[in-house]
Amino acid sequence: METSTYQLRCRECGKTWGNQPRSYCEDCFSPLEVTYDYDSLRSSVSHELFASRAPNIWRYRELLPLPAGYQPSLPVGYTPLVCAPRLGDQIGSRRLFVKNDAVCLPTLSFKDRVVTVALANARSFGFHTVACSSTGNLANAVAAQAAREGFKAWIFIPSDLEPAKILGTQVFGAELVRINGSYDHVNRLCSQIAEEREWGFVNVNLRPYYAEGSKTVGYEIAEQLGWKLPDNVVVPMAGGSLITKIKKAFDELILLGLVDPKPVKFFGAQATGCSPISTAIKQYCDEIEPQRPKTIARSLAIGNPADGHYALQAIGKSGGWAEDVSDHEVVESIQLLAENEGIFTETAGGVTVGTARKLIHQDRILPDETTVLCITGNGLKTTDVLADRYQVEAPISPKLAEFEAYLAAKAANLPAAFAAAADSSNAAVA
Ligand SMILES: *Cc1c(COP(=O)(O)O)cnc(C)c1O
Ligand SMILES: [Zn+2]
Protein backbone atom coordinates (compact mmCIF):
# COMPACT_ATOMS: atom_id res chain seq x y z
CA MET A 1 0.00 0.00 0.00
CA GLU A 2 3.09 2.28 -0.17
CA THR A 3 1.88 3.93 -3.34
CA SER A 4 -1.51 5.02 -1.99
CA THR A 5 -2.24 8.72 -1.78
CA TYR A 6 -3.80 8.43 1.66
CA GLN A 7 -2.88 7.09 5.07
CA LEU A 8 -3.78 7.23 8.74
CA ARG A 9 -2.48 10.07 10.86
CA CYS A 10 -2.91 10.86 14.55
CA ARG A 11 -5.22 13.85 15.03
CA GLU A 12 -3.16 15.10 17.97
CA CYS A 13 0.54 14.16 17.65
CA GLY A 14 0.51 13.93 13.83
CA LYS A 15 2.32 10.57 13.66
CA THR A 16 1.42 8.61 10.53
CA TRP A 17 0.40 4.96 10.67
CA GLY A 18 0.13 3.84 7.03
CA ASN A 19 -3.04 1.93 6.26
CA GLN A 20 -4.22 -0.68 8.75
CA PRO A 21 -7.33 -1.55 10.75
CA ARG A 22 -6.67 0.76 13.68
CA SER A 23 -8.55 3.74 15.11
CA TYR A 24 -6.22 5.25 17.71
CA CYS A 25 -2.57 6.27 18.01
CA GLU A 26 -0.42 3.86 20.02
CA ASP A 27 1.76 6.72 21.21
CA CYS A 28 -0.83 9.16 22.55
CA PHE A 29 -4.13 7.21 22.30
CA SER A 30 -5.78 9.96 20.24
CA PRO A 31 -8.03 9.07 17.30
CA LEU A 32 -6.57 8.52 13.85
CA GLU A 33 -7.96 10.03 10.69
CA VAL A 34 -7.28 9.57 6.99
CA THR A 35 -5.05 12.19 5.39
CA TYR A 36 -4.39 12.69 1.67
CA ASP A 37 -1.68 14.03 -0.58
CA TYR A 38 -3.61 17.18 -1.44
CA ASP A 39 -0.86 18.60 -3.67
CA SER A 40 -1.12 15.72 -6.10
CA LEU A 41 -4.94 15.73 -5.85
CA ARG A 42 -5.11 19.39 -6.86
CA SER A 43 -3.99 18.58 -10.39
CA SER A 44 -6.12 15.43 -10.77
CA VAL A 45 -9.65 16.47 -9.73
CA SER A 46 -12.04 18.95 -11.32
CA HIS A 47 -15.76 19.74 -11.57
CA GLU A 48 -15.77 18.25 -15.06
CA LEU A 49 -14.22 14.98 -13.92
CA PHE A 50 -16.84 14.55 -11.19
CA ALA A 51 -19.67 15.56 -13.52
CA SER A 52 -18.55 13.03 -16.16
CA ARG A 53 -19.26 10.17 -13.74
CA ALA A 54 -22.46 8.47 -12.57
CA PRO A 55 -24.43 10.23 -9.81
CA ASN A 56 -23.24 8.33 -6.75
CA ILE A 57 -20.49 8.81 -4.16
CA TRP A 58 -17.87 7.10 -6.33
CA ARG A 59 -17.73 10.21 -8.53
CA TYR A 60 -15.54 11.65 -5.73
CA ARG A 61 -13.37 8.52 -5.52
CA GLU A 62 -10.05 10.39 -5.47
CA LEU A 63 -11.14 12.04 -2.21
CA LEU A 64 -12.00 8.75 -0.51
CA PRO A 65 -9.68 6.12 1.01
CA LEU A 66 -10.17 3.38 -1.58
CA PRO A 67 -7.64 0.59 -2.11
CA ALA A 68 -5.94 0.53 -5.52
CA GLY A 69 -8.13 -1.14 -8.14
CA TYR A 70 -11.25 -1.09 -5.95
CA GLN A 71 -14.39 -1.73 -8.03
CA PRO A 72 -17.55 -0.44 -6.31
CA SER A 73 -20.60 -2.67 -6.68
CA LEU A 74 -23.30 -0.34 -5.33
CA PRO A 75 -24.45 3.11 -6.46
CA VAL A 76 -24.60 4.64 -2.97
CA GLY A 77 -25.53 8.26 -2.30
CA TYR A 78 -26.06 11.30 -4.50
CA THR A 79 -29.38 11.86 -2.79
CA PRO A 80 -31.60 14.84 -3.72
CA LEU A 81 -30.93 18.33 -2.40
CA VAL A 82 -34.37 19.91 -2.66
CA CYS A 83 -35.44 23.44 -1.88
CA ALA A 84 -38.03 23.48 0.88
CA PRO A 85 -40.06 26.69 0.50
CA ARG A 86 -43.17 25.48 2.32
CA LEU A 87 -41.24 24.22 5.32
CA GLY A 88 -39.22 27.43 5.11
CA ASP A 89 -42.45 29.46 5.36
CA GLN A 90 -43.41 27.53 8.48
CA ILE A 91 -40.12 27.91 10.30
CA GLY A 92 -38.93 31.27 8.99
CA SER A 93 -36.33 30.69 6.27
CA ARG A 94 -36.52 31.98 2.71
CA ARG A 95 -33.62 29.89 1.39
CA LEU A 96 -34.09 26.51 2.97
CA PHE A 97 -32.85 23.22 1.47
CA VAL A 98 -33.26 19.62 2.54
CA LYS A 99 -30.48 17.12 1.83
CA ASN A 100 -32.61 14.02 1.69
CA ASP A 101 -30.73 10.93 2.85
CA ALA A 102 -34.06 9.37 3.81
CA VAL A 103 -33.73 7.95 0.29
CA CYS A 104 -30.05 6.98 0.40
CA LEU A 105 -29.53 3.52 -1.11
CA PRO A 106 -29.45 0.66 -0.29
CA THR A 107 -30.91 0.95 3.26
CA LEU A 108 -32.44 4.45 3.47
CA SER A 109 -30.04 6.29 5.74
CA PHE A 110 -26.77 8.16 5.38
CA LYS A 111 -25.02 5.19 7.07
CA ASP A 112 -24.84 3.48 3.67
CA ARG A 113 -22.16 6.02 2.74
CA VAL A 114 -19.87 5.16 5.64
CA VAL A 115 -20.38 1.41 5.42
CA THR A 116 -19.53 1.17 1.75
CA VAL A 117 -16.16 2.88 2.32
CA ALA A 118 -15.48 0.74 5.41
CA LEU A 119 -16.20 -2.50 3.56
CA ALA A 120 -13.92 -1.54 0.67
CA ASN A 121 -11.12 -1.43 3.23
CA ALA A 122 -12.30 -4.52 5.16
CA ARG A 123 -11.84 -6.50 1.96
CA SER A 124 -8.31 -5.19 1.32
CA PHE A 125 -7.29 -5.87 4.95
CA GLY A 126 -8.34 -9.50 4.47
CA PHE A 127 -11.37 -9.62 6.78
CA HIS A 128 -14.05 -12.23 6.05
CA THR A 129 -16.34 -11.06 8.87
CA VAL A 130 -17.53 -7.50 9.39
CA ALA A 131 -19.26 -6.18 12.48
CA CYS A 132 -20.54 -3.05 14.21
CA SER A 133 -22.09 -1.60 17.31
CA SER A 134 -25.17 0.28 16.19
CA THR A 135 -28.11 2.46 17.18
CA GLY A 136 -30.04 0.94 14.25
CA ASN A 137 -29.24 2.43 10.87
CA LEU A 138 -25.64 1.24 10.89
CA ALA A 139 -26.93 -2.26 11.66
CA ASN A 140 -29.17 -2.15 8.56
CA ALA A 141 -26.39 -0.82 6.32
CA VAL A 142 -23.73 -3.31 7.48
CA ALA A 143 -26.12 -6.27 7.25
CA ALA A 144 -27.29 -5.38 3.73
CA GLN A 145 -23.93 -4.53 2.27
CA ALA A 146 -22.21 -7.52 3.89
CA ALA A 147 -24.81 -9.74 2.22
CA ARG A 148 -24.12 -8.20 -1.17
CA GLU A 149 -20.35 -8.28 -0.78
CA GLY A 150 -20.18 -11.81 0.63
CA PHE A 151 -19.00 -11.00 4.17
CA LYS A 152 -20.30 -12.67 7.28
CA ALA A 153 -21.86 -9.99 9.54
CA TRP A 154 -22.12 -9.68 13.33
CA ILE A 155 -24.29 -6.84 14.56
CA PHE A 156 -24.47 -5.63 18.17
CA ILE A 157 -27.33 -3.38 19.30
CA PRO A 158 -28.96 -2.10 22.47
CA SER A 159 -31.99 -4.32 23.18
CA ASP A 160 -34.59 -1.54 22.88
CA LEU A 161 -34.29 -0.59 19.17
CA GLU A 162 -37.30 -0.04 16.94
CA PRO A 163 -38.82 -3.26 15.47
CA ALA A 164 -38.25 -2.10 11.86
CA LYS A 165 -34.54 -1.62 12.51
CA ILE A 166 -34.26 -5.07 14.05
CA LEU A 167 -36.16 -6.79 11.25
CA GLY A 168 -34.27 -4.69 8.69
CA THR A 169 -31.07 -6.26 10.00
CA GLN A 170 -32.27 -9.86 10.37
CA VAL A 171 -33.69 -10.03 6.85
CA PHE A 172 -30.18 -9.85 5.40
CA GLY A 173 -29.08 -12.95 7.31
CA ALA A 174 -26.78 -11.13 9.72
CA GLU A 175 -26.05 -12.44 13.22
CA LEU A 176 -27.83 -10.01 15.55
CA VAL A 177 -26.82 -9.74 19.21
CA ARG A 178 -29.06 -7.66 21.48
CA ILE A 179 -27.37 -6.30 24.56
CA ASN A 180 -29.05 -5.33 27.81
CA GLY A 181 -27.62 -1.86 28.10
CA SER A 182 -27.20 1.43 26.27
CA TYR A 183 -25.27 1.99 23.05
CA ASP A 184 -22.26 2.99 25.12
CA HIS A 185 -22.21 -0.45 26.77
CA VAL A 186 -22.57 -2.10 23.36
CA ASN A 187 -19.70 -0.08 21.94
CA ARG A 188 -17.38 -0.90 24.84
CA LEU A 189 -18.11 -4.60 24.39
CA CYS A 190 -17.35 -4.32 20.66
CA SER A 191 -13.96 -2.70 21.38
CA GLN A 192 -13.12 -5.74 23.51
CA ILE A 193 -14.31 -8.21 20.86
CA ALA A 194 -12.29 -6.36 18.21
CA GLU A 195 -9.12 -7.02 20.26
CA GLU A 196 -9.90 -10.74 20.36
CA ARG A 197 -11.13 -11.56 16.89
CA GLU A 198 -10.10 -10.97 13.31
CA TRP A 199 -13.26 -9.04 12.57
CA GLY A 200 -13.56 -5.73 10.77
CA PHE A 201 -15.70 -3.56 13.05
CA VAL A 202 -16.73 -0.74 10.76
CA ASN A 203 -16.99 1.80 13.59
CA VAL A 204 -14.19 0.46 15.82
CA ASN A 205 -11.01 -0.72 14.10
CA LEU A 206 -12.13 0.52 10.65
CA ARG A 207 -13.53 3.79 12.05
CA PRO A 208 -11.14 6.22 10.30
CA TYR A 209 -12.09 4.75 6.88
CA TYR A 210 -15.79 4.55 7.78
CA ALA A 211 -15.85 8.19 8.85
CA GLU A 212 -14.51 9.38 5.47
CA GLY A 213 -17.70 8.15 3.82
CA SER A 214 -19.61 10.94 5.57
CA LYS A 215 -17.62 13.55 3.63
CA THR A 216 -19.66 12.70 0.55
CA VAL A 217 -22.69 14.47 2.09
CA GLY A 218 -20.62 17.67 2.01
CA TYR A 219 -19.29 17.16 -1.54
CA GLU A 220 -22.82 16.56 -2.80
CA ILE A 221 -24.28 19.63 -1.07
CA ALA A 222 -21.58 21.81 -2.65
CA GLU A 223 -21.99 20.30 -6.12
CA GLN A 224 -25.81 20.47 -5.94
CA LEU A 225 -25.63 24.16 -4.97
CA GLY A 226 -23.64 24.74 -8.19
CA TRP A 227 -20.21 24.32 -6.52
CA LYS A 228 -21.02 26.84 -3.82
CA LEU A 229 -21.05 26.44 -0.08
CA PRO A 230 -24.19 27.23 1.96
CA ASP A 231 -24.23 29.76 4.82
CA ASN A 232 -25.46 27.21 7.36
CA VAL A 233 -25.83 23.47 7.75
CA VAL A 234 -27.89 21.81 10.45
CA VAL A 235 -26.68 18.29 11.23
CA PRO A 236 -28.00 15.67 13.67
CA MET A 237 -25.34 14.36 16.04
CA ALA A 238 -24.92 10.93 17.62
CA GLY A 239 -21.21 10.17 17.92
CA GLY A 240 -20.52 13.57 16.34
CA SER A 241 -18.71 12.22 13.30
CA LEU A 242 -21.00 13.35 10.46
CA ILE A 243 -20.86 17.04 11.38
CA THR A 244 -17.04 17.04 11.53
CA LYS A 245 -16.79 15.23 8.20
CA ILE A 246 -19.10 17.63 6.38
CA LYS A 247 -16.77 20.35 7.60
CA LYS A 248 -13.74 18.36 6.40
CA ALA A 249 -15.40 18.00 2.98
CA PHE A 250 -15.99 21.76 2.66
CA ASP A 251 -12.42 22.51 3.82
CA GLU A 252 -11.01 20.07 1.25
CA LEU A 253 -13.07 21.60 -1.56
CA ILE A 254 -11.69 25.03 -0.65
CA LEU A 255 -8.12 23.67 -0.41
CA LEU A 256 -8.43 22.00 -3.81
CA GLY A 257 -9.81 25.16 -5.42
CA LEU A 258 -13.16 23.50 -6.19
CA VAL A 259 -15.26 26.11 -4.34
CA ASP A 260 -14.61 29.70 -3.33
CA PRO A 261 -13.63 30.07 0.32
CA LYS A 262 -16.56 31.06 2.47
CA PRO A 263 -17.39 30.79 6.16
CA VAL A 264 -20.02 28.14 6.78
CA LYS A 265 -21.71 27.91 10.17
CA PHE A 266 -22.19 24.40 11.54
CA PHE A 267 -25.22 23.78 13.76
CA GLY A 268 -25.56 20.54 15.70
CA ALA A 269 -28.91 18.96 16.56
CA GLN A 270 -29.67 16.53 19.39
CA ALA A 271 -32.63 15.24 21.35
CA THR A 272 -32.87 16.76 24.83
CA GLY A 273 -32.99 13.23 26.27
CA CYS A 274 -29.50 12.57 24.90
CA SER A 275 -27.73 15.89 24.45
CA PRO A 276 -24.14 15.65 25.66
CA ILE A 277 -22.79 17.74 22.78
CA SER A 278 -25.47 20.45 22.60
CA THR A 279 -25.35 20.79 26.40
CA ALA A 280 -21.59 21.41 26.31
CA ILE A 281 -22.05 24.03 23.58
CA LYS A 282 -24.82 25.81 25.47
CA GLN A 283 -22.71 25.87 28.64
CA TYR A 284 -19.61 27.10 26.76
CA CYS A 285 -17.82 24.03 28.10
CA ASP A 286 -15.06 22.21 26.18
CA GLU A 287 -15.47 18.95 28.07
CA ILE A 288 -18.32 16.59 27.28
CA GLU A 289 -20.23 15.19 30.21
CA PRO A 290 -21.53 11.72 29.26
CA GLN A 291 -25.29 11.16 29.68
CA ARG A 292 -27.59 8.21 30.08
CA PRO A 293 -29.85 8.41 26.98
CA LYS A 294 -33.60 8.63 27.32
CA THR A 295 -35.25 9.66 24.05
CA ILE A 296 -37.32 8.30 21.19
CA ALA A 297 -34.54 9.45 18.83
CA ARG A 298 -32.77 6.14 19.29
CA SER A 299 -30.51 6.51 16.26
CA LEU A 300 -28.92 9.52 18.02
CA ALA A 301 -28.84 7.99 21.51
CA ILE A 302 -25.11 7.96 22.18
CA GLY A 303 -24.42 9.26 25.67
CA ASN A 304 -20.63 9.32 25.33
CA PRO A 305 -19.92 10.52 21.77
CA ALA A 306 -16.61 9.33 20.29
CA ASP A 307 -16.14 12.47 18.19
CA GLY A 308 -17.90 14.83 20.57
CA HIS A 309 -14.75 16.83 21.21
CA TYR A 310 -14.14 17.42 17.50
CA ALA A 311 -17.81 18.24 16.95
CA LEU A 312 -17.55 20.95 19.64
CA GLN A 313 -14.51 22.38 17.86
CA ALA A 314 -16.14 22.32 14.42
CA ILE A 315 -19.27 24.06 15.71
CA GLY A 316 -17.44 26.55 17.92
CA LYS A 317 -14.84 27.65 15.37
CA SER A 318 -17.47 28.11 12.67
CA GLY A 319 -19.54 30.52 14.74
CA GLY A 320 -22.39 28.01 14.80
CA TRP A 321 -24.31 26.64 17.74
CA ALA A 322 -26.13 23.52 18.93
CA GLU A 323 -29.60 22.97 20.32
CA ASP A 324 -31.80 20.10 21.38
CA VAL A 325 -35.51 19.38 21.25
CA SER A 326 -37.97 17.34 23.31
CA ASP A 327 -39.44 14.05 22.11
CA HIS A 328 -42.76 15.85 21.60
CA GLU A 329 -41.07 18.39 19.30
CA VAL A 330 -39.38 15.54 17.43
CA VAL A 331 -42.73 14.00 16.52
CA GLU A 332 -44.28 17.37 15.59
CA SER A 333 -41.28 18.15 13.41
CA ILE A 334 -41.53 14.82 11.58
CA GLN A 335 -45.13 15.79 10.76
CA LEU A 336 -44.15 19.35 9.78
CA LEU A 337 -41.60 18.10 7.24
CA ALA A 338 -43.97 15.45 5.90
CA GLU A 339 -46.97 17.78 5.56
CA ASN A 340 -45.02 20.61 3.94
CA GLU A 341 -42.44 18.87 1.75
CA GLY A 342 -43.67 15.30 1.31
CA ILE A 343 -40.58 13.86 2.98
CA PHE A 344 -41.05 11.21 5.66
CA THR A 345 -38.08 11.17 7.99
CA GLU A 346 -37.27 9.16 11.08
CA THR A 347 -36.83 10.60 14.57
CA ALA A 348 -33.31 11.93 13.80
CA GLY A 349 -34.82 14.07 11.02
CA GLY A 350 -37.43 15.35 13.47
CA VAL A 351 -34.55 16.38 15.71
CA THR A 352 -32.94 18.28 12.83
CA VAL A 353 -36.09 20.11 11.73
CA GLY A 354 -37.10 20.96 15.32
CA THR A 355 -33.61 22.23 16.11
CA ALA A 356 -33.51 24.34 12.94
CA ARG A 357 -36.81 25.94 13.88
CA LYS A 358 -35.42 26.77 17.32
CA LEU A 359 -32.21 28.23 15.90
CA ILE A 360 -34.18 30.44 13.50
CA HIS A 361 -36.36 31.69 16.37
CA GLN A 362 -33.17 32.48 18.29
CA ASP A 363 -31.91 34.51 15.28
CA ARG A 364 -28.85 32.31 15.08
CA ILE A 365 -29.94 31.37 11.55
CA LEU A 366 -31.25 34.30 9.50
CA PRO A 367 -34.12 34.07 7.01
CA ASP A 368 -32.19 35.09 3.88
CA GLU A 369 -29.18 32.87 4.47
CA THR A 370 -28.84 29.63 2.52
CA THR A 371 -29.50 26.89 5.05
CA VAL A 372 -29.25 23.14 4.46
CA LEU A 373 -30.97 20.65 6.77
CA CYS A 374 -29.39 17.19 6.75
CA ILE A 375 -32.20 14.66 6.86
CA THR A 376 -30.35 11.43 7.53
CA GLY A 377 -32.88 8.62 7.84
CA ASN A 378 -36.27 7.30 6.71
CA GLY A 379 -39.56 7.55 8.61
CA LEU A 380 -40.71 4.05 7.68
CA LYS A 381 -38.13 2.73 10.16
CA THR A 382 -39.59 4.57 13.17
CA THR A 383 -43.35 4.50 12.57
CA ASP A 384 -43.91 3.44 16.19
CA VAL A 385 -43.47 7.05 17.39
CA LEU A 386 -46.45 8.16 15.28
CA ALA A 387 -48.76 5.32 16.24
CA ASP A 388 -50.90 7.37 18.64
CA ARG A 389 -51.12 10.40 16.31
CA TYR A 390 -53.46 8.95 13.70
CA GLN A 391 -56.67 6.94 13.84
CA VAL A 392 -57.81 4.72 11.05
CA GLU A 393 -61.52 5.30 10.48
CA ALA A 394 -64.06 2.58 9.82
CA PRO A 395 -64.21 1.62 6.12
CA ILE A 396 -67.20 2.54 3.93
CA SER A 397 -68.77 0.52 1.09
CA PRO A 398 -67.76 1.33 -2.48
CA LYS A 399 -70.93 3.40 -3.08
CA LEU A 400 -71.08 7.04 -4.08
CA ALA A 401 -73.92 7.72 -1.65
CA GLU A 402 -71.84 6.42 1.22
CA PHE A 403 -68.97 8.62 0.23
CA GLU A 404 -71.30 11.64 0.11
CA ALA A 405 -72.56 10.75 3.59
CA TYR A 406 -68.99 10.32 4.72
CA LEU A 407 -68.12 13.82 3.47
CA ALA A 408 -71.20 15.30 5.13
CA ALA A 409 -70.33 13.66 8.44
CA LYS A 410 -66.78 14.90 8.10
CA ALA A 411 -68.00 18.46 7.46
CA ALA A 412 -70.18 18.19 10.56
CA ASN A 413 -67.19 16.82 12.44
CA LEU A 414 -68.84 13.50 13.18
CA PRO A 415 -66.99 10.20 13.18
CA ALA A 416 -67.10 8.18 9.94
CA ALA A 417 -68.95 5.30 11.58
CA PHE A 418 -71.85 7.70 12.05
CA ALA A 419 -71.80 8.51 8.32
CA ALA A 420 -72.14 4.84 7.45
CA ALA A 421 -75.07 4.51 9.85
CA ALA A 422 -76.73 7.65 8.47
CA ASP A 423 -76.35 6.29 4.96
CA SER A 424 -77.99 2.97 5.70
CA SER A 425 -80.94 4.71 7.40
CA ASN A 426 -81.33 6.92 4.31
CA ALA A 427 -81.28 3.82 2.14
CA ALA A 428 -84.01 2.29 4.27
CA VAL A 429 -86.20 5.38 3.82
CA ALA A 430 -85.67 5.38 0.05
C1 LIG B 1 -25.78 7.65 12.93
C2 LIG B 1 -26.80 8.66 12.58
C3 LIG B 1 -26.55 10.05 12.71
C4 LIG B 1 -25.33 10.70 13.34
O1 LIG B 1 -24.14 10.13 13.13
P1 LIG B 1 -22.78 10.51 13.85
O2 LIG B 1 -21.83 10.57 12.74
O3 LIG B 1 -22.52 9.37 14.80
O4 LIG B 1 -22.94 11.81 14.59
C5 LIG B 1 -27.53 10.92 12.25
N1 LIG B 1 -28.69 10.48 11.74
C6 LIG B 1 -28.98 9.18 11.65
C7 LIG B 1 -30.31 8.78 11.10
C8 LIG B 1 -28.05 8.22 12.04
O5 LIG B 1 -28.36 6.91 11.93
ZN1 LIG C 1 -0.68 10.42 18.57
Side-chain angles (χ1 to χ4, degrees):
M1 208 70 73
E2 278 73 36
T3 56
S4 54
T5 55
Y6 64 89
Q7 64 171 326
L8 298 177
R9 186 177 64 190
C10 175
R11 293 184 78 148
E12 297 305 326
C13 75
K15 180 165 175 177
T16 55
W17 292 89
N19 285 298
Q20 52 170 313
R22 146 169 302 281
S23 64
Y24 60 90
C25 173
E26 259 174 39
D27 291 1
C28 74
F29 299 101
S30 301
L32 302 181
E33 84 170 329
V34 178
T35 179
Y36 300 79
D37 178 357
Y38 291 109
D39 286 334
S40 79
L41 281 176
R42 199 168 287 122
S43 54
S44 57
V45 295
S46 65
H47 298 160
E48 295 70 32
L49 178 69
F50 296 147
S52 72
R53 295 171 173 166
N56 57 60
I57 66 169
W58 309 116
R59 71 210 262 117
Y60 313 111
R61 65 180 81 120
E62 287 82 1
L63 306 177
L64 295 171
L66 299 176
Y70 176 69
Q71 290 293 331
S73 81
L74 273 176
V76 175
Y78 218 84
T79 56
L81 179 79
V82 295
C83 54
R86 291 164 58 85
L87 179 66
D89 256 3
Q90 295 289 326
I91 68 175
S93 168
R94 282 186 281 270
R95 288 191 54 77
L96 190 66
F97 291 83
V98 168
K99 177 62 172 164
N100 186 9
D101 269 17
V103 294
C104 194
L105 294 176
T107 65
L108 308 180
S109 87
F110 98 94
K111 290 298 198 306
D112 286 317
R113 302 171 181 273
V114 289
V115 169
T116 199
V117 176
L119 295 200
N121 287 279
R123 166 82 11 94
S124 80
F125 293 140
F127 291 115
H128 300 294
T129 298
V130 291
C132 67
S133 55
S134 173
T135 57
N137 286 311
L138 187 60
N140 299 165
V142 170
Q145 296 192 34
R148 182 167 170 89
E149 302 285 337
F151 290 101
K152 180 127 188 64
W154 281 84
I155 311 292
F156 298 82
I157 57 169
S159 58
D160 65 350
L161 290 193
E162 300 90 342
K165 285 184 180 163
I166 292 176
L167 190 76
T169 302
Q170 293 171 314
V171 72
F172 300 112
E175 297 284 350
L176 182 69
V177 186
R178 290 167 69 224
I179 310 288
N180 275 319
S182 69
Y183 173 82
D184 301 284
H185 296 113
V186 177
N187 190 251
R188 212 165 309 136
L189 172 66
C190 286
S191 299
Q192 292 169 338
I193 299 171
E195 299 284 330
E196 301 255 295
R197 301 190 172 263
E198 296 279 298
W199 291 359
F201 275 86
V202 302
N203 55 342
V204 182
N205 50 352
L206 297 171
R207 188 172 179 87
Y209 300 97
Y210 151 104
E212 289 295 287
S214 289
K215 292 192 306 183
T216 58
V217 176
Y219 301 144
E220 291 174 18
I221 289 171
E223 180 170 1
Q224 290 167 320
L225 289 174
W227 292 111
K228 287 198 174 67
L229 299 181
D231 297 305
N232 311 302
V233 283
V234 186
V235 187
M237 304 184 294
S241 176
L242 175 62
I243 194 166
T244 64
K245 293 298 171 172
I246 295 176
K247 174 164 173 37
K248 184 176 181 184
F250 290 170
D251 290 345
E252 286 177 338
L253 294 177
I254 293 170
L255 188 66
L256 295 169
L258 293 167
V259 295
D260 288 335
K262 164 175 178 178
V264 178
K265 287 184 183 165
F266 287 83
F267 293 94
Q270 295 205 290
T272 305
C274 182
S275 52
I277 307 176
S278 64
T279 299
I281 289 280
K282 292 196 287 185
Q283 296 176 348
Y284 297 94
C285 188
D286 32 325
E287 294 284 310
I288 297 211
E289 179 92 25
Q291 293 183 0
R292 181 194 299 261
K294 192 176 179 343
T295 170
I296 57 169
R298 297 210 159 90
S299 57
L300 303 181
I302 297 185
N304 189 10
D307 290 292
H309 172 71
Y310 296 105
L312 287 184
Q313 277 188 357
I315 294 166
K317 278 191 191 154
S318 77
W321 194 246
E323 263 299 349
D324 45 79
V325 289
S326 69
D327 284 357
H328 180 77
E329 288 171 287
V330 170
V331 174
E332 275 196 331
S333 302
I334 290 173
Q335 294 173 304
L336 193 66
L337 177 63
E339 289 173 12
N340 287 287
E341 300 297 344
I343 293 171
F344 187 15
T345 185
E346 69 150 80
T347 47
V351 167
T352 304
V353 171
T355 296
R357 179 165 65 171
K358 216 168 193 174
L359 292 165
I360 293 167
H361 284 178
Q362 293 172 354
D363 295 329
R364 294 186 188 276
I365 291 178
L366 300 179
D368 288 312
E369 295 172 340
T370 300
T371 300
V372 176
L373 308 186
C374 293
I375 296 302
T376 47
N378 193 295
L380 293 173
K381 296 191 191 188
T382 63
T383 52
D384 24 334
V385 303
L386 292 167
D388 62 357
R389 292 285 164 137
Y390 301 99
Q391 299 124 30
V392 181
E393 291 180 348
I396 61 171
S397 339
K399 291 189 187 128
L400 185 58
E402 255 199 57
F403 176 62
E404 299 291 350
Y406 175 90
L407 280 184
K410 192 130 197 141
N413 237 336
L414 296 170
F418 183 82
D423 177 63
S424 48
S425 58
N426 285 348
V429 173

